[in-house]
Amino acid sequence: MGTVNEKLESYGLKKVLNYLDSNPEENVPKLIGWLKKFDRDGLYQSAYEMVDGFIKDPENNWNRLILSLYSDIDESVRRKTFENFLINSAILGSQKKNKLVEKYDCNIPWAILMDPTSACNLHCIGCWAAEYGNRLNLSFDTLDDIVRQGKELGTYMYIFSGGEPLVRKDDIIRLCEKHNDCEFLAFTNGTLIDEQFADEMLRVKNFVPAISIEGFEKETDFRRGEGTYQAVIRAMKLLKGKRLPFGASLCYTRQNAETIGSEEYFDHLIELGCKFAWLFTYMPVGVDAKPELMATADQRKFMYDQVRKFRGTKPLFTLDFWNDGEFVNGCIAGGRQYLHINANGDIEPCAFIHYADSNIHEKTLLEAYRSPLFMQYRRNQPFNRNQLRPCPLLDNPGRLSQIVKKSGAVSTDLAHPENVDQLTEKCVESAKAWAPVAKEIWENSEGRERADWKADREAQQKAQIEKKVQEKESRKKIKVSM
């Protein structure tokens, strides 16, 4: 955030936060109008239109959720989170990122997901991380350099996964300190969150955990081991008591979808103090995967219906990374909005796609973004016009195989390299079952027209960028020939 314009915009946005702090009940409904003035590129126009009407209603759940951040969250933590997330990442960082996307004709992510370690203190059923043990780690210097490179390209959001990232809690806190203009989040099992670490979170102010929980005690302990649920509850109570923000990471499977999607469970998360919930469906990745845990088509539709219903009634911000494709124009992986760097340094398009043609120890981030694998993602997204079928693995069998083979990417699973065709085969029946259900929902969806417009707009933008790149290359050739 170094240019004069960036500093002026940052100053203006911070003034907006000052107004909010002075009287949130009165000023929260004005928030969207203020933010629109700074969104010169119209990056979030559709989101603004959707949320604007909600937050003007004092009884609406979105309004209640935002106001709860003032009553429930430490003031200095809330302010730092707003500055990093809204100002640095969502607005100024995205403006910088989009200019560089046009310059380099490649995807540049809004967020980078990275694994500090493959080590984990749990052994969850169906989790590929258990195969690696504690052998793989990214050094602090490597993690630091990833963030440094990312910021130069407009990325100010960093997410830790693993393994269990809090095995490296000291290094995570060091990163939060050094890069206090970034927001850090971690997908964590929560069992290593103690009083000392919570106090460190309160001190650095820019770290937010998304705690994995599979349902109530029976469902959580089934996959994660006896006693895990009670450890998670203790961690959440500790964080709530210190007025720290946190959320839940929910993986719905054939065993727990009805629990995860129940009103009782959503109310339970809100009572525990969660402010957000990220929802994932189980993916059969790795040699020890359990395809029998994959949610059925009926269960996926159940989650689709429940999440949308609760968005109108529950003060909990939710994202379903498969069923919300209409809001983000399909698949967000491959650097389009995010990517994954594993503990070996392999730069993967997605946390669930364990193939790469680049490694952070050998290439810069920008070189990886322009690599054959990531360019194949860019050229092929979205993978389906029906954005309830966004994934090249789970929803569109054969698409991932084509990309991997065409790019020359290789399996990054060091213990048991997985043939991409064999991986794809595990998803074929699920995709076939989901396709007609998704078709029926999509054809009657209010978001279809909006999503189609977004897809057309993004395709036009890509074509314009490619045209400019070609014209630039042509001019270079002319100069050389002269």
Side-chain angles (χ1 to χ4, degrees), residues 142-156:
T142 298
L143 295 167
D144 177 45
D145 192 54
I146 291 170
V147 178
R148 180 193 62 77
Q149 289 186 57
K151 288 198 295 184
E152 290 177 356
L153 297 171
T155 303
Y156 286 80

Side-chain angles (χ1 to χ4, degrees), residues 13 15-38 48 51-58 63 66-67 70 86:
L13 285 161
K15 294 292 287 184
V16 169
L17 296 185
N18 285 337
Y19 285 121
L20 286 177
D21 284 341
S22 66
N23 191 339
E25 289 84 359
E26 180 180 331
N27 291 327
V28 161
K30 303 174 185 176
L31 176 63
I32 298 303
W34 284 331
L35 292 178
K36 277 183 179 179
K37 296 177 182 179
F38 294 93
Y48 290 149
V51 175
D52 194 22
F54 295 156
I55 66 173
K56 287 180 178 176
D57 176 5
N63 204 322
I66 294 173
L67 290 176
Y70 287 85
L86 284 176

Side-chain angles (χ1 to χ4, degrees), residues 93-101 108-110 153-154 336:
S94 290
Q95 290 173 2
K96 179 192 291 187
K97 174 178 81 74
N98 287 349
K99 289 176 183 176
L100 294 171
V101 165
I108 296 176
W110 172 73
L153 297 171
R336 186 171 157 264

Side-chain angles (χ1 to χ4, degrees), residues 121-125 191 214 216-232 234:
N121 59 321
L122 298 182
H123 298 280
C124 303
I125 294 174
T191 61
E214 306 284 336
F216 294 107
E217 190 161 17
K218 176 183 175 183
E219 296 85 4
T220 299
D221 287 1
F222 166 75
R223 274 199 74 198
R224 298 181 175 272
E226 186 176 351
T228 303
Y229 177 80
Q230 289 301 329
V232 167
R234 286 194 297 272

